[in-house]
Amino acid sequence: MQTNNPDATQDSSNKQAQNTGRWKLLAVVAVCAFPIIASYFTYYIIKPTGRNNYGALIDPRLHPIPEAQLQVTELDGKASPLAQFKGKWVLLQTGPSDCQEACKKQLFDMQQLRLMQGKERERLERVWLVTDAQPLDTLVMREFDGTSMLRVNSDALKAWLPVEPGGKTSDHFYLIDPLGNLMMRFPKDADPNKIKKDIAKLLKASAIG
């Protein structure tokens, strides 16, 4: 006569519950990641004839954000990792605290690029990564209020951000997607109107951020 083993039955139930939990977790991850993956696929793979990107695409697998090495902080030294911006598109510039005309123009252009997105502007964050420990000009801070001004390890920054041949990181704007991937670099002395078009297309194609 065969008898049931309560322990075996319980183990089987536990395994089934664990498997069900794993599948549910994978389904949630897939649902969250699908919109951004689909937008990339639609925009960059299934391209209508004649569509061109102004910004240069970056393979995020080759340039993952090195949070630990960057040592990103607020101006007062409090840790402030770039991961805080996940869920938003991030327009990024870099440079020393001595913000001269080229730097101010970049800050102004970032400010205007956000405004030019109209009702979508809340989806776009502006970040200036300051590459030294010197104080910032208070007039610059006031004029460009709303830009996140953060300090960063300059050596780690140079190792992370790709540049044009013979260029430097402060020459460029960079774009980070809502999943925290570095995905686009704009050329030196970039045309704000052309940057605007790239950003507008991405915001339209993306269901998140």
Side-chain angles (χ1 to χ4, degrees):
M1 181 175 178
Q2 187 176 8
T3 59
N4 292 328
N5 185 331
D7 291 336
T9 302
Q10 183 64 39
D11 287 344
S12 177
S13 298
N14 289 340
K15 288 179 180 177
Q16 289 179 354
Q18 289 174 355
N19 289 334
T20 300
R22 290 192 187 100
W23 280 111
K24 286 181 178 179
L25 178 60
L26 288 173
V28 170
V29 171
V31 168
C32 293
F34 178 78
I36 191 69
I37 294 171
S39 68
Y40 278 167
F41 184 78
T42 301
Y43 188 65
Y44 296 115
I45 306 301
I46 309 175
K47 291 185 180 181
T49 302
R51 174 179 286 178
N52 293 311
N53 309 315
Y54 180 57
L57 293 178
I58 295 171
D59 186 340
R61 296 170 299 177
L62 302 179
H63 302 278
I65 300 178
E67 290 280 17
Q69 291 81 7
L70 287 175
Q71 302 171 17
V72 186
T73 68
E74 302 283 350
L75 298 180
D76 63 4
K78 181 181 177 182
S80 186
L82 292 178
Q84 68 184 290
F85 299 109
K86 278 192 176 181
K88 295 288 187 76
W89 293 89
V90 177
L91 189 59
L92 184 76
Q93 78 170 73
T94 74
S97 56
D98 184 17
C99 189
Q100 298 300 316
E101 290 309 310
C103 167
K104 291 176 183 177
K105 183 181 185 303
Q106 282 186 315
L107 288 169
F108 177 79
D109 286 346
M110 284 207 303
Q111 190 177 63
Q112 295 305 304
L113 282 164
R114 182 176 181 275
L115 292 174
M116 285 190 287
Q117 300 307 322
K119 64 181 181 180
E120 302 293 331
R121 64 184 178 274
E122 296 300 327
R123 300 171 65 189
L124 184 65
E125 293 285 343
R126 298 166 288 150
V127 176
W128 174 23
L129 294 181
V130 182
T131 55
D132 60 49
Q134 298 304 310
L136 297 186
D137 186 333
T138 54
L139 293 178
V140 171
M141 295 173 66
R142 290 174 186 170
E143 184 175 359
F144 301 106
D145 184 42
T147 299
S148 294
M149 300 178 183
L150 306 170
R151 298 197 191 277
V152 68
N153 181 294
S154 60
D155 290 334
L157 186 75
K158 290 176 184 176
W160 169 45
L161 294 177
V163 299
E164 293 176 341
K168 54 186 184 295
T169 59
S170 58
D171 291 337
H172 305 290
F173 287 121
Y174 296 88
L175 193 65
I176 297 173
D177 73 21
L179 296 181
N181 299 310
L182 180 68
M183 53 82 60
M184 188 172 279
R185 180 193 70 213
F186 295 99
K188 182 178 180 179
D189 301 323
D191 183 338
N193 288 316
K194 293 181 179 180
I195 297 177
K196 172 198 169 186
K197 291 178 182 178
D198 270 5
I199 294 175
K201 289 173 185 176
L202 286 166
L203 293 177
K204 183 177 181 180
S206 173
I208 64 174

